[in-house]
Amino acid sequence: MLKSHAKYHLGQVVRHRKHPFRGVIFDVDPAFSNTEEWYQSIPEEARPAKDQPFYHLLAENDQSYYVAYVSEQNLVEDMSGEPVDHPDLYDLFGDFEDGHYPLHFQLN
């Protein structure tokens, strides 16, 4: 059954439930919308359901910055109150305030 709404929102800082990275949400797919090859590369016992929101993150860990694609079930809200340092953040968002990043542009 497809969920009708996303739990997290654009500009919110989240962290992965199992892996040591966090990031800022910059897009949301209402259900899985990546390649089947990408999906099959996830070990079967860890594959998330496709019928849930998937989030595009400007992500960071201790070693690098990258873009991540993560299912809602694998995210938790980041409660650290710390900003994210991803170098592409300010292409999309304003300054970190009250635990999130405001969008620089209007959505249609």
Side-chain angles (χ1 to χ4, degrees):
M1 182 173 144
L2 187 63
K3 277 185 75 168
S4 62
H5 68 281
K7 181 176 181 178
Y8 304 109
H9 57 83
L10 301 182
Q12 186 170 3
V13 180
V14 292
R15 61 178 59 249
H16 197 281
R17 185 179 299 280
K18 298 175 185 173
H19 301 293
F21 71 86
R22 57 194 217 113
V24 178
I25 297 168
F26 71 90
D27 196 10
V28 183
D29 295 333
F32 179 78
S33 186
N34 205 332
T35 65
E36 190 61 25
E37 179 182 26
W38 182 92
Y39 188 74
Q40 294 298 324
S41 72
I42 301 169
E44 189 172 353
E45 66 279 357
R47 273 185 214 142
K50 290 183 175 182
D51 62 346
Q52 63 181 309
F54 275 72
Y55 299 83
H56 299 261
L57 308 177
L58 294 174
E60 66 182 20
N61 62 28
D62 290 342
Q63 289 115 22
S64 66
Y65 302 107
Y66 52 97
V67 172
Y69 190 64
V70 185
S71 64
E72 187 169 274
Q73 75 185 56
N74 284 320
L75 291 176
V76 294
E77 184 176 358
D78 180 85
M79 303 300 283
S80 72
E82 296 293 321
V84 172
D85 294 323
H86 196 288
D88 297 334
L89 265 172
Y90 296 103
D91 292 342
L92 301 172
F93 299 101
D95 292 334
F96 185 68
E97 57 185 51
D98 298 325
H100 74 280
Y101 289 88
L103 287 170
H104 264 319
F105 56 89
Q106 291 292 330
L107 298 174
N108 291 337

